[in-house]
């Protein structure tokens, strides 16, 4: 019997995680063998006594090979393996890119035992997998090799017990960055508790303090500066106190990688945090132990957050160098309620065509089905002959609704007038009771109508569906000026202030003519004006625009699946970085489609 512990593995810290697993196997005197293939790492633990018994049954008159020499009974050895499983579940940090997937048991065939007569256990292990598509012999390493090749211990990872002790001000281990008997940390002359207390005292005196972090030198402060880029919350409870959040946010932010995300501050605390045009603050948790110690000390004084800034205009004294291991740049995720992560970084090297091809013709794309979580993504072999519905929605580039097979075919052509003056004129003349609606709008919001009709009548054609958000921002009074492109963020800002999960139904209607479909863009505007005249709150109306768009797109996907038998859907574009849109469209999409979402910075171009 061989136990195959399978881990999903896309981590750039792979050697560190393997070090933790191999160390645990070695501490229990278990033989362990490792190989990584197709984004999965396999840790193979042979039950030596069980294999010994099977060998004796197959070759009753043969001496037992030395590789099967073991004093344990099979049941006792199985308990050791169970202890190994329990220990790694406690010691492996919660990671986005390295985590346990499943345990398989393998009953080796006879050729495995034949090889054991002549070879070592490591040389025999590949014969336990006669149907493997690759030769794992060249990939296989034992625990000793894993440990020998590990030369860069992390300065920022501690076990749960060590973390608790180091961050507990009443503990004797408080602020001790190199716990005794720990092999996982670099030996360095760290500063003592007084150093961190001094930093906190300077912060409380409203000073900006340079500090060496795992992501480079940062300026710490208790108030935002013009150069502030990130808010660091001292602990999970602080995130819940100051921001509107859900459990997926907490799980992701607390992971080993310590990514960032953009959240809405609770209304009463909004003025405390630097926010962007959409009203979101970029936040995270302390991403290394020295920063976590600063947070622990601040919490003693009931201070729950601090700010990170880059400031190249001032010269600061060089801070103490903690000799951090090389760290990756922080990832910024949009996080859906069901835990799907969208990396909002945009890689500049793509065009729309190459972006689509990268997803559709890659052999390592993840299949996110209705039963999958973002932490259990199987592999998909994509064939160019499979038809895909591609929906690309970007706030900066023309939209695309394509059927992608051997060639691209436009399913829905996006082209509409975006001059608010001309739009309202069309509503007056082309829609039933349109003139009465605009008259009512003038009575309800006379200044808005006056500003709209003061615009020139120059046509302004758009091919970007998200431009409708800017048009609505101006017509509904969210934005006081109309430029091209108009202020879409004014609509997003109000939508993010809505605290419920369903808005009014805005009328996104498809028109069908001569076997082609088009969107009735002005009907969207007409629908919103009707709600405005009914005194609907701006926040509810703005949310309804995004909610209804999501439902419309999901209906389009469902109709395409039904009428054209297209089951594969690719969603792209930076609109997926809008958490309202992401949550709503994931909720509305059919559960029986094969959905591909952007991965690894391939969100937009």
């Amino acid at each position: 019997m061989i136990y195959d512990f399978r881990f999903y593995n896309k981590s750039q810290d792979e050697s560190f995680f393997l070090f933790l697993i191999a160390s645990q196997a070695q501490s229990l005197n278990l033989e362990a063998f490792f190989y990584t293939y197709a984004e999965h790492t396999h840790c193979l633990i042979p039950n030596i006594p069980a294999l010994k018994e099977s060998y004796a049954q197959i070759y009753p008159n043969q001496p037992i090979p030395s590789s099967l020499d073991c004093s344990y009974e099979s049941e006792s050895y199985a308990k050791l393996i169970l202890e190994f499983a329990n220990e790694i579940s406690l010691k492996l940090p919660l990671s986005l890119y390295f985590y346990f997937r499943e345990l398989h048991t393998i009953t080796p065939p006879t050729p495995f035992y034949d090889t054991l007569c002549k070879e070592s256990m490591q040389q025999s292990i590949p014969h336990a997998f006669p149907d493997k598509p690759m030769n794992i012999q060249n990939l296989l390493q034992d625990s000793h090799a894993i440990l020998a090749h590990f030369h860069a211990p992390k300065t920022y990872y501690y076990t749960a017990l060590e973390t608790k002790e180091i961050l507990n001000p009443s503990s004797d281990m408080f602020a001790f960055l190199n716990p005794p008997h720990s092999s996982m940390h670099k030996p360095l002359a760290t500063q003592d508790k007084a150093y961190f207390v001094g930093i906190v005292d300077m912060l409380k005196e409203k000073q900006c303090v340079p500090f060496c972090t795992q992501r480079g030198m940062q300026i710490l402060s208790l108030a935002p500066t013009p150069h502030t880029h990130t808010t660091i919350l001292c602990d999970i409870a602080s995130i819940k106190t100051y921001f509107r959040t859900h459990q997926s946010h907490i799980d992701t932010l607390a992971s080993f990688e310590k990514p960032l995300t953009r959240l809405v501050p609770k209304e009463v605390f909004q003025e405390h945090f630097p926010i962007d045009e959409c009203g979101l603050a970029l936040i995270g948790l302390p991403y290394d132990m020295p920063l976590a110690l600063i947070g622990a000390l601040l919490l003693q004084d009931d201070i729950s957050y601090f700010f990170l800034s880059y400031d190249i205009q001032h010269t600061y004294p060089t801070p103490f160098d903690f000799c951090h291991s090389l760290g990756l740049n922080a990832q910024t995720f949009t996080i859906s309620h069901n835990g799907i992560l969208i990396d909002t970084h945009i890689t500049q090297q793509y065009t729309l065509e190459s972006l689509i091809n990268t997803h559709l013709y890659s052999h390592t794309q993840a299949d996110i089905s209705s039963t999958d979580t973002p932490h259990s993504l199987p592999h998909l072999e994509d064939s160019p002959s499979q038809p895909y519905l591609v929906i690309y929605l970007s706030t900066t580039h023309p939209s695309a609704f394509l059927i992608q097979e051997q060639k691209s075919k436009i399913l829905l052509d996006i082209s509409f007038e975006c001059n608010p003056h001309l739009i309202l004129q069309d509503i007056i003349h082309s829609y039933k009771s349109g003139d009465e609606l605009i008259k009512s709008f003038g009575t309800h919001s006379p200044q808005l109508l006056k500003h709209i009709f003061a615009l020139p009548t120059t046509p302004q054609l758009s091919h970007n569906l998200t431009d409708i958000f800017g048009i609505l921002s101006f017509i509904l009074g969210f934005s006081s000026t109309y430029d091209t492109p108009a202020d879409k963020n004014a609509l997003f800002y109000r939508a993010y202030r809505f605290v419920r999960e369903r808005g009014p139904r805005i009328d996104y209607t498809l028109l069908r003519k001569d076997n082609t479909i088009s969107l009735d863009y002005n009907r969207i505007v007409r629908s919103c004006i009707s709600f405005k005249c009914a005194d609907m709150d701006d926040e509810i109306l703005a949310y309804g625009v995004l909610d209804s768009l999501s439902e419309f797109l999901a209906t389009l996907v469902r109709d395409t699946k039904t009428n054209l038998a297209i089951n594969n859907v690719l969603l792209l574009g930076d609109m997926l970085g809008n958490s309202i849109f992401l949550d709503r469209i994931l909720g509305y999409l059919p559960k029986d489609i094969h959905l591909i979402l952007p991965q690894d910075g391939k969100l937009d171009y």
Side-chain angles (χ1 to χ4, degrees):
M1 182 77 71
I2 298 174
Y3 293 92
D4 181 2
F5 292 82
R6 300 183 181 182
F7 299 86
Y8 175 76
N9 179 10
K10 283 184 66 177
S11 176
Q12 297 192 36
D13 284 318
E14 172 188 32
S15 62
F16 173 62
F17 288 101
L18 295 183
F19 169 82
L20 294 178
I21 298 171
S23 296
Q24 188 57 48
Q26 188 180 66
S27 70
L28 294 172
N29 293 318
L30 293 174
E31 284 199 68
F33 304 93
F34 301 82
Y35 74 93
T36 299
Y37 178 73
E39 297 181 357
H40 282 75
T41 289
H42 299 251
C43 172
L44 307 172
I45 307 282
N47 185 329
I48 305 291
L51 295 176
K52 181 178 178 180
E53 293 172 5
S54 297
Y55 184 91
Q57 292 174 2
I58 296 172
Y59 304 108
N61 300 319
Q62 295 290 332
I64 301 297
S66 59
S67 58
L68 295 179
D69 187 19
C70 180
S71 59
Y72 283 97
E73 296 293 329
S74 178
E75 185 176 342
S76 299
Y77 204 82
K79 289 181 179 179
L80 273 182
I81 296 175
L82 178 61
E83 182 180 351
F84 166 80
N86 290 333
E87 287 297 317
I88 61 173
S89 70
L90 295 174
K91 292 185 177 180
L92 279 183
L94 173 68
S95 171
L96 303 176
Y97 300 115
F98 193 104
Y99 48 83
F100 176 72
R101 284 287 300 274
E102 56 192 350
L103 173 63
H104 280 210
T105 55
I106 299 163
T107 302
T110 302
F112 167 80
Y113 296 99
D114 292 340
T115 310
L116 275 176
C117 299
K118 306 173 252 182
E119 306 287 356
S120 67
M121 179 64 73
Q122 182 166 345
Q123 292 169 314
S124 302
I125 283 285
H127 296 276
F129 306 93
D131 299 325
K132 278 293 178 186
M134 74 297 181
N135 180 10
I136 70 169
Q137 182 67 63
N138 298 328
L139 304 174
L140 208 61
Q141 299 182 81
D142 62 11
S143 294
H144 300 290
I146 295 290
L147 297 176
H149 293 156
F150 183 70
H151 297 301
K154 295 292 178 186
T155 57
Y156 55 87
Y157 173 70
Y158 298 79
T159 66
L161 180 59
E162 287 171 342
T163 300
K164 181 179 179 180
E165 292 296 309
I166 294 169
L167 296 180
N168 182 2
S170 62
S171 167
D172 292 338
M173 297 295 294
F174 179 69
F176 200 114
L177 292 184
N178 281 299
H181 314 301
S182 174
S183 61
M184 290 186 288
H185 308 289
K186 293 178 178 178
L188 52 101
T190 58
Q191 296 287 358
D192 58 13
K193 177 180 177 180
Y195 174 77
F196 295 100
V197 171
I199 295 289
V200 169
D201 286 342
M202 285 189 284
L203 289 173
K204 290 191 292 185
E205 292 170 2
K206 300 183 179 181
Q207 295 184 42
C208 293
V209 183
F211 198 75
C212 174
T213 81
Q214 195 249 333
R215 294 174 187 166
M217 204 270 278
Q218 304 283 344
I219 308 300
L220 311 187
S221 63
L222 294 186
T225 74
H227 307 283
T228 292
H229 55 82
T230 305
T231 300
I232 297 295
L233 283 299
C234 294
D235 61 0
I236 289 172
S238 300
I239 298 177
K240 294 179 178 179
T241 298
Y242 292 98
F243 291 90
R244 285 163 40 190
T245 186
H246 50 71
Q247 190 58 43
S248 294
H249 287 140
I250 301 302
D251 293 343
T252 303
L253 292 172
S255 68
F256 176 77
E257 291 78 12
K258 295 297 186 294
L260 307 176
T261 193
R262 298 184 187 277
L263 293 182
V264 181
K266 293 179 181 177
E267 186 176 0
V268 67
F269 301 120
Q270 180 168 312
E271 64 181 22
H272 296 190
F273 302 100
I275 57 176
D276 61 17
E277 298 89 345
C278 297
L280 305 175
L282 182 64
I283 74 155
L285 287 167
Y287 50 80
D288 59 38
M289 188 57 76
L291 278 178
L293 282 169
I294 297 296
L297 286 167
L298 288 172
L299 284 171
Q300 286 188 293
D301 293 315
D302 295 324
I303 300 171
S304 301
Y305 54 86
F306 56 97
F307 302 97
L308 303 184
S309 305
Y310 297 124
D311 191 348
I312 60 176
Q313 297 180 349
H314 296 86
T315 301
Y316 292 94
T318 302
F320 177 79
D321 185 359
F322 290 101
C323 301
H324 290 290
S325 303
L326 180 64
L328 304 175
N329 291 330
Q331 288 180 286
T332 301
F333 289 120
T334 297
I335 306 166
S336 74
H337 272 75
N338 63 358
I340 288 177
L341 308 180
I342 299 295
D343 186 345
T344 58
H345 173 71
I346 295 175
T347 305
Q348 301 296 326
Q349 68 198 54
Y350 293 99
T351 63
L352 178 57
E353 181 180 5
S354 64
L355 195 67
I356 292 171
N357 289 338
T358 296
H359 286 88
L360 296 193
Y361 302 110
S362 168
H363 294 289
T364 57
Q365 287 308 307
D367 178 10
I368 306 178
S369 70
S370 60
T371 58
D372 289 324
T373 71
H375 303 308
S376 58
L377 301 180
H379 292 282
L380 172 72
E381 296 292 325
D382 286 317
S383 167
S385 62
Q386 289 182 308
Y388 278 81
L389 171 59
V390 178
I391 298 177
Y392 170 76
L393 278 183
S394 170
T395 58
T396 56
H397 300 294
S399 306
F401 292 77
L402 307 173
I403 295 176
Q404 189 87 4
E405 200 167 1
Q406 298 295 345
K407 294 182 180 180
S408 292
K409 177 184 176 183
I410 296 175
L411 174 67
L412 176 62
D413 187 29
I414 301 297
S415 180
F416 62 98
E417 175 60 56
C418 60
N419 183 327
H421 189 157
L422 296 180
I423 291 172
L424 263 61
Q425 290 288 359
D426 183 70
I427 291 174
I428 290 172
H429 297 105
S430 303
Y431 291 84
K432 182 179 179 180
S433 303
D435 56 342
E436 294 179 10
L437 174 65
I438 302 305
K439 185 176 179 180
S440 296
F441 183 50
T443 302
H444 182 275
S445 306
Q447 289 302 313
L448 288 181
L449 192 62
K450 179 180 177 181
H451 289 154
I452 293 168
F453 283 143
L455 292 174
T457 56
T458 307
Q460 298 173 6
L461 197 64
S462 174
H463 300 284
N464 185 337
L465 181 55
T466 71
D467 283 346
I468 201 78
F469 303 146
I471 297 167
L472 292 171
S473 291
F474 180 70
I475 291 176
L476 300 175
F478 303 164
S479 177
S480 60
T481 59
Y482 181 78
D483 299 311
T484 304
D487 186 7
K488 305 171 187 180
N489 291 327
L491 184 139
F492 297 152
Y493 181 95
R494 285 159 179 79
Y496 276 121
R497 266 73 209 153
F498 185 62
V499 296
R500 297 174 186 165
E501 293 190 358
R502 190 171 179 87
R505 296 299 87 194
I506 306 301
D507 200 355
Y508 288 79
T509 300
L510 285 177
L511 304 175
R512 302 177 186 274
K513 183 179 180 181
D514 299 331
N515 294 322
T516 62
I517 58 174
S518 62
L519 184 58
D520 190 343
Y521 307 96
N522 290 351
R523 187 175 292 273
I524 301 169
V525 179
R526 177 180 178 272
S527 179
C528 290
I529 291 175
S530 297
F531 284 114
K532 182 73 172 180
C533 290
D535 287 325
M536 177 169 284
D537 289 343
D538 290 348
E539 292 76 13
I540 302 175
L541 184 50
Y543 186 92
V545 171
L546 297 179
D547 185 21
S548 298
L549 172 64
S550 305
E551 188 173 27
F552 162 73
L553 295 177
T555 300
L556 182 64
V557 168
R558 186 176 293 105
D559 290 347
T560 304
K561 180 179 184 295
T562 301
N563 299 328
L564 301 178
I566 295 178
N567 192 54
N568 306 304
V569 180
L570 169 63
L571 298 183
L572 292 171
D574 66 6
M575 270 302 295
L576 291 169
N578 182 297
S579 60
I580 296 173
F581 177 73
L582 178 65
D583 271 324
R584 302 315 293 158
I585 194 167
L586 290 177
Y588 287 128
L589 282 171
K591 306 305 180 186
D592 57 349
I593 62 169
H594 163 223
L595 176 64
I596 295 180
L597 293 173
Q599 304 277 323
D600 304 326
K602 303 180 183 71
L603 174 67
D604 211 327
Y605 67 95

